[in-house]
Amino acid sequence: MKSMFLSLLLLLFAGHAHAADAPSLPAAWTQIGITVGMPYAQAKAALIKAGWVASAPDNDGNPVFAAHPEVDCGQGWDAICSAGYGRGNETYGLVLAPTDDGKLLVQGVF
């Protein structure tokens, strides 16, 4: 029991440290209302309205999310999804987390 508690505590700490190390969202994105935890569909609409253009995903051509063909997802247990956006000479990748109901949430940027 003690080892299970310790494992859970380390897992929680590792998740907290990872979130703290995540880069902050670009100022141009926070100014248009993009926030961590918001639905991706809402963030996508705001980005497009502000002139950002989605990059083509690096996958085999079969979108994981039909409504969001620009999204690419990794494989495996801790795989993440991402979508790239560019405007002028700025390019960022949005880190996304799928939810149990098939939606995506903004988690950070790279």
Side-chain angles (χ1 to χ4, degrees):
M1 180 74 167
K2 186 176 181 180
S3 64
M4 187 166 81
F5 176 75
L6 182 58
S7 297
L8 180 59
L9 184 62
L10 288 173
L11 180 62
L12 290 172
F13 176 74
H16 178 70
H18 178 70
D21 292 340
S24 59
L25 295 171
W29 288 11
T30 57
Q31 290 171 357
I32 60 170
I34 308 298
T35 60
V36 171
M38 77 183 303
Y40 172 63
Q42 184 180 350
K44 176 182 174 179
L47 287 166
I48 291 170
K49 184 177 179 183
W52 291 84
V53 178
S55 305
D58 186 23
N59 60 23
D60 62 4
N62 298 320
V64 178
F65 295 90
H68 307 295
E70 71 283 358
V71 172
D72 193 17
C73 295
Q75 302 281 326
W77 178 22
D78 273 343
I80 63 166
C81 297
S82 63
Y85 283 87
R87 183 177 74 175
N89 62 353
E90 293 180 280
T91 303
Y92 299 101
L94 204 52
V95 179
L96 307 167
T99 62
D100 291 338
D101 61 356
K103 295 190 175 27
L104 293 162
L105 298 177
V106 172
Q107 294 297 299
V109 67
F110 63 92

